[in-house]
Amino acid sequence: MEDLKIEIEGLEKRSEKFEAEIKEQSDEVTNTKELMTHAATLIDKYKTQQDNVRNNKEFESLSKEIEFQALEIQLADKRLNEFGAKISHKQERLDEYQTKIGELKSNIG
């Protein structure tokens, strides 16, 4: 009986840890989406500026900035996919722990 209580406590602590990690990853997703939005805004701004340039040097500089921001968006998209996979994996584990906790509690009660 005491062993079951100890196992339940351990599973509950692991569940809490996974919940915190899921929240942290979700916050990262939000931040990454904001970064993508900001980069897209900058691309639009730079494209508008390209229409008003006076020389090739300015045009090339803006082109490089547009290219850089596009790469930032690609990197952020890759991070979003990674965060999504991590969140999914952690949520599966959390569900397993919670199921196990429920089973163990029903054995005690």
Side-chain angles (χ1 to χ4, degrees), residues 9-82:
E9 287 177 17
L11 288 171
E12 287 175 339
K13 286 181 183 181
R14 280 184 246 155
S15 292
E16 290 171 6
K17 181 182 176 203
F18 273 101
E19 287 172 348
E21 290 174 357
I22 289 170
K23 182 179 179 340
E24 184 179 305
Q25 293 292 316
S26 296
D27 291 345
E28 288 293 328
V29 166
T30 302
N31 293 339
T32 303
K33 285 180 180 178
E34 289 174 6
L35 182 116
M36 291 174 76
T37 302
H38 180 68
T41 303
L42 287 175
I43 288 173
D44 291 341
K45 175 184 164 189
Y46 295 144
K47 284 183 178 180
T48 302
Q49 287 178 350
Q50 271 185 330
D51 294 337
N52 300 320
V53 295
R54 297 185 183 160
N55 59 46
N56 286 342
K57 193 173 187 177
E58 285 180 66
F59 186 86
E60 286 298 317
S61 175
L62 290 170
S63 293
K64 288 189 186 296
E65 284 296 325
I66 290 169
E67 184 179 340
F68 176 77
Q69 294 304 323
L71 290 172
E72 285 288 324
I73 290 173
Q74 287 178 354
L75 179 61
D77 189 46
K78 182 179 177 183
R79 286 184 183 150
L80 282 177
N81 291 334
E82 290 172 359

Side-chain angles (χ1 to χ4, degrees), residues 15 90-101:
S15 292
K90 289 180 188 299
Q91 188 62 51
E92 287 175 14
R93 295 289 304 269
L94 179 60
D95 292 343
E96 290 172 12
Y97 288 151
Q98 290 176 343
T99 301
K100 183 76 171 170
I101 290 169

